[in-house]
Amino acid sequence: MKMKVTRHLFAVGTLLLAGCATYEDQPPAAVKSSVYTTLKAEEKHLLPKDITVLTLEEAQNIALKNNPSFRSKYYAITAARAGYYQKFAGYFPTVNASFKAGQDLGKMHDRQGWYNTNNFAFTPQVSGTLLIFDSFRREMDILAQKHNWQSTEAAEDDARRLLVEAVANAYNGVMLADAQMRIAQEDKKFNADMLRDTKLKFDAGAVSLSEVLNFEIQYNQAESNLITAQYNYTTNKYVLAQLLGLTEGTIPASVKFPTKPAEDVDILPDVSVYLDLALANRPDLKSLREQMEVSKYSYWSSLAAFGPTFSANYAIGYTDTHSHNCRSEVRGNPVFNHVHGATFSYSLNVNWNLFNGGNDFFAARAAQARMVQADYSVAQAWIQVIVDVRTAYDNYATAVKQMKLFQKTFELTKKTRDLVKAEYDAGSTEITRMNEAQRDLVNAESNYVSAVIRMANARAQLAAAANIR
């Protein structure tokens, strides 16, 4: 039992000396459960209780705090940072402690006859190696790992950029479905009112039954559109909840969204402004540039294999040996021997590998090829950034034009529908014209709100392309 406790204490001490990774914002306890129905509130990741209307900014902040995929990027940085500091260990001497204790029992024979031997020895020792020079391989490895660390930091920034854009798109999807529900409800109410009025006219003998049936059909179609919009609203909330890292997998029904998407139009500067911002700030491009530096220093590290290495070995120890030789015959005299003392040894070593079958040569060629490959990856990413910005810029400009056009069309269509309704109520136009006018209004309003959402998505796309926070 005492030995087990000692072993545990030794393990804990080793962890403390070596350093261990700790994290405060752990994944929710719910993800470790195999049963959903028995989960408690404190085991889940939920929306803050004080949120009644969820804004886009709040949704993005919650996602950055809870999204598991994004949160994991931080620990990739932690690992890369630890790898960087680990490389400095090459400048320190190694220290190894050893202890050997043993006993040899034997029965030997010589000219005088048989005799017994009993030898006991123990030898504690501390030894190690100090690398003095290795043709600058350590320096190159440290610089490579430093840039790898910086690359993972840039990768986290890129994950942030993409997550913020994804949340905006999902949030806007909820907004669009909400607007479509409102449009379907208004269409349903309009046809319900028309159905009620038409039934009164039918009862009075003023219209035929076909007109009553017409508005029943239109009412049912509006009901179908409402069901579809409700489904889209629910599924888009699922997508948003996943990005927010909510273990419920949805947004509570008590949480509302703004009733109308923002129609504000940004004044765009020249596209060159966004191009400069993107090339200076895009973290994915920065990450690849850092990886190019990693490959460069890795190549130089491979060249160090062609140079010599200098190292020093040392050992400090103590030896204590007891020997006891005893003859079984009466005439024999037992022999006792005790030897003990300290020992110290050192050596300076030079190693220069002159030929190993071309292994170092081809390793350097491969490292050089990876360096050129990384350079081309940066070139491809640079071009992709340019294309992303130009595409997003034109997309936003087009979305603004379409939004303004659909807004005017909606206003005109609404005015037309009201005029046709007045004419239908007065009996001066056909029911088919009434159906067309209402259908055109529903389509025009749907196109308008869709254009507003497309503009919002295009704004998020442009912000992500230029990495504007």
Side-chain angles (χ1 to χ4, degrees), residues 147-148 150-151 286-294:
H147 286 284
N148 185 61
Q150 294 170 342
S151 176
K286 180 181 178 181
S287 180
L288 286 173
R289 284 171 171 162
E290 294 295 341
Q291 284 299 317
M292 183 179 68
E293 294 297 311
V294 171

Side-chain angles (χ1 to χ4, degrees), residues 71-127:
R71 294 297 300 163
S72 68
K73 301 297 182 183
Y74 169 80
Y75 296 98
I77 296 176
T78 303
R81 181 171 61 245
Y84 169 67
Y85 290 122
Q86 181 186 15
K87 293 298 181 181
F88 284 93
Y91 289 100
F92 293 89
T94 63
V95 179
N96 303 308
S98 62
F99 177 82
K100 181 180 179 180
Q103 185 176 20
D104 294 329
L105 300 174
K107 190 173 183 66
M108 311 298 292
H109 183 273
D110 60 12
R111 292 180 179 179
Q112 298 181 10
W114 292 92
Y115 64 93
N116 299 320
T117 62
N118 185 351
N119 301 320
F120 176 80
F122 71 92
T123 308
Q125 180 176 278
V126 174
S127 62

Side-chain angles (χ1 to χ4, degrees), residues 169-434:
N169 290 332
Y171 184 91
N172 292 334
V174 176
M175 296 277 286
L176 176 60
D178 186 50
Q180 290 172 336
M181 284 196 303
R182 177 180 52 79
I183 294 171
Q185 287 169 341
E186 292 175 353
D187 185 32
K188 179 181 173 182
K189 181 179 181 304
F190 175 83
N191 285 289
D193 292 341
M194 293 299 294
L195 178 60
R196 184 188 64 249
D197 295 341
T198 305
K199 282 183 177 180
L200 294 175
K201 293 178 182 179
F202 173 74
D203 293 339
V207 297
S208 64
L209 179 61
S210 61
E211 295 195 21
V212 176
L213 297 177
N214 171 80
F215 286 112
E216 285 186 354
I217 294 172
Q218 299 302 319
Y219 176 87
N220 290 340
Q221 183 60 50
E223 178 73 19
S224 175
N225 293 338
L226 177 59
I227 293 173
T228 300
Q230 289 172 336
Y231 171 77
N232 292 335
Y233 182 75
T234 301
T235 54
N236 276 283
K237 288 204 299 181
Y238 296 160
V239 174
L240 181 59
Q242 180 182 13
L243 292 171
L244 269 55
L246 303 180
T247 52
E248 289 292 89
T250 187
I251 308 296
S254 58
V255 176
K256 305 301 180 184
F257 292 82
T259 56
K260 189 177 182 181
E263 301 175 8
D264 300 334
V265 177
D266 297 334
I267 299 176
L268 290 179
D270 188 74
V271 67
S272 60
V273 174
Y274 291 96
L275 292 173
D276 289 341
L277 284 172
L279 293 176
N281 299 325
R282 275 280 289 265
D284 53 340
L285 182 59
K286 180 181 178 181
S287 180
L288 286 173
R289 284 171 171 162
E290 294 295 341
Q291 284 299 317
M292 183 179 68
E293 294 297 311
V294 171
S295 64
K296 180 177 69 176
Y297 288 114
S298 296
Y299 168 62
W300 289 349
S301 176
S302 69
L303 296 181
F306 295 98
T309 60
F310 297 81
S311 62
N313 295 334
Y314 64 90
I316 302 173
Y318 177 82
T319 300
D320 193 313
T321 304
H322 297 263
S323 300
H324 181 197
N325 299 334
C326 180
R327 295 186 178 277
S328 60
E329 292 83 355
V330 177
R331 66 178 181 278
N333 296 318
V335 178
F336 296 93
N337 190 22
H338 180 202
V339 179
H340 64 91
T343 62
F344 173 74
S345 64
Y346 70 91
S347 65
L348 297 176
N349 308 305
V350 179
N351 182 45
W352 196 340
N353 181 32
L354 300 179
F355 180 72
N356 60 358
N359 180 71
D360 294 339
F361 173 78
F362 289 109
R365 288 294 301 271
Q368 184 182 36
R370 287 191 291 269
M371 180 176 64
V372 177
Q373 183 182 16
D375 202 5
Y376 277 113
S377 296
V378 172
Q380 177 60 36
W382 195 95
I383 296 172
Q384 186 63 53
V385 168
I386 297 295
V387 172
D388 287 349
V389 171
R390 290 191 181 278
T391 301
Y393 186 91
D394 291 343
N395 186 34
Y396 182 75
T398 301
V400 169
K401 293 177 183 178
Q402 288 181 332
M403 189 275 294
K404 292 180 178 179
L405 180 61
F406 282 124
Q407 183 181 29
K408 292 179 181 178
T409 301
F410 168 61
E411 293 171 353
L412 293 173
T413 306
K414 189 174 186 305
K415 185 179 295 185
T416 300
R417 195 285 308 271
D418 293 341
L419 292 173
V420 171
K421 183 179 181 301
E423 293 173 356
Y424 176 77
D425 291 340
S428 59
T429 190
E430 298 293 331
I431 192 172
T432 54
R433 180 66 185 119
M434 182 71 255

